[in-house]
Amino acid sequence: MSQSYDVIVIGLGGMGSAAAYHLAGRGQRVLGLERFGPAHSLGASHGGSRIYRQSYAEGPEYVPLLLRARELWDRLGVDAETEVFTRTGGIVVGHADSLMVAGSLHSAREWGLAHEVLDAAEIRSRFPTFSPADDDVAFYERQAGVVRPELTVAAHLRLAERRGAELRFNEPATRWETLPGGGVRVITAGGAATADRLVIAPGAWAQRLLPDLAVPLKVERRATYWFAPEGGVSLFDITRHPVYIWDTPGAEMYGFPALDGADLGVKVGFHYGGGAADPDHLDREIRPVEVEAMRDFLRSRIPALAVGRFLRGTACTYTLTPDEHFVLSSHPEHSQVIVACGFSGHGFKFVPVIGEILADLAIDGTTHHPIPLFDASRSTTFGALQP
């Protein structure tokens, strides 16, 4: 490998595949490098489903990006002839002053997004799978839904190649360097390639390729679980059961409708609580104690899942920043290098718009999208993460 390109993209998971798609669509000569195979299950872009929501509790600054992401999800589905997004509606359950409920309401009001606030009786009536406490409330938005990570990555890769991108799999980048006259060189086991600009979207491997960022990163393990609900999946059908987040003082749990039939069950997971992890040696075993911890949480909230048969589980990685905001900007020291990492377990719903932003930054050096919150040179230290 000894060729020159307009842009090299390191990492072809959710963010990198979207960047390759947008860059190639704008006529750039693109080389994409991925350490594993296409749409693999060894990082953070797998597991069959991710929640998409618009009234963003994590900050109203995210809302315009989510609105644009929805447009691009729909466009990708048409271009790829693949259903990558399904609207199901979504609720956030918890006390009225919980971070997720109050934050969602704040974002909805600031941006004028349609929503409802339900009391416990209304939750039980509308969604009989849920069993909230009497003092629980729910924030409901109709525009929420499910995005499909593997299908999304595969679609972006397929369309990027159709637009002329050269994609190389099982070829990890070992290092990169800037060149005295401008541009970059990327070294892999197969040789070296040069380009005018570089996009680094390495997922859990960010610390190895971006060791000097001002924003520190750490990788943690997370597990998700699928249960066969007692009484079958009919009440968990996408027409009756929304995506959801259940926010409590001790834990934040999320889940989905039954998306793929009775045999594959219903997926749930905890947003917090995983231990530190090495992405090259991730513990992928799902232990009985983990399953029981999930059952304990579900028992008083979604009883049909708590007593249901455990079908399977899977582990993935979260790459966390201290403030849980993304890193998405030019490299602080090298303007020809664009970084996208630290998505902190809530980034996949943004994938198509992040691809668009990465293409903007790589080609124009700027973007009209509001991304100051994600600057790679911001100062932050660990300590803000919830337990």
Side-chain angles (χ1 to χ4, degrees), residues 322-334:
D323 55 17
E324 296 189 33
H325 297 310
F326 312 152
V327 177
L328 180 61
S329 72
S330 297
H331 191 286
E333 298 178 9
H334 310 290

Side-chain angles (χ1 to χ4, degrees), residues 151-173:
L151 292 178
T152 296
V153 173
H156 275 140
L157 294 175
R158 184 169 68 253
L159 293 173
E161 285 192 304
R162 188 179 300 171
R163 293 173 168 187
E166 179 183 344
L167 307 180
R168 300 187 179 187
F169 298 97
N170 300 301
E171 188 167 344

Side-chain angles (χ1 to χ4, degrees), residues 6-35:
D6 294 324
V7 187
I8 297 173
V9 179
I10 297 177
L12 294 174
M15 311 308 173
S17 65
Y21 162 79
H22 282 282
L23 286 162
R26 299 189 203 178
Q28 299 291 293
R29 293 175 298 123
V30 177
L31 171 64
L33 299 170
E34 168 57 50
R35 65 174 48 241

Side-chain angles (χ1 to χ4, degrees), residues 57-75:
E58 291 82 349
E61 302 92 336
Y62 287 88
V63 173
L65 301 180
L66 288 159
L67 298 178
R68 176 58 176 163
R70 174 60 190 278
E71 295 174 354
L72 293 172
W73 284 116
D74 290 344
R75 181 185 302 176

Side-chain angles (χ1 to χ4, degrees), residues 283-301:
D283 178 5
R284 299 188 180 279
E285 181 182 354
I286 305 300
R287 293 172 174 80
V289 66
E290 296 178 279
V291 179
E292 288 308 307
M294 177 55 73
R295 286 193 194 276
D296 286 345
F297 189 90
L298 292 168
R299 192 160 284 116
S300 63
R301 298 174 176 93

Side-chain angles (χ1 to χ4, degrees), residues 36-62:
F36 302 115
H40 62 81
S41 61
L42 300 172
S45 296
H46 66 283
S49 55
R50 294 290 187 278
I51 292 175
Y52 169 86
R53 50 195 167 92
Q54 293 182 345
S55 301
Y56 218 55
E58 291 82 349
E61 302 92 336
Y62 287 88

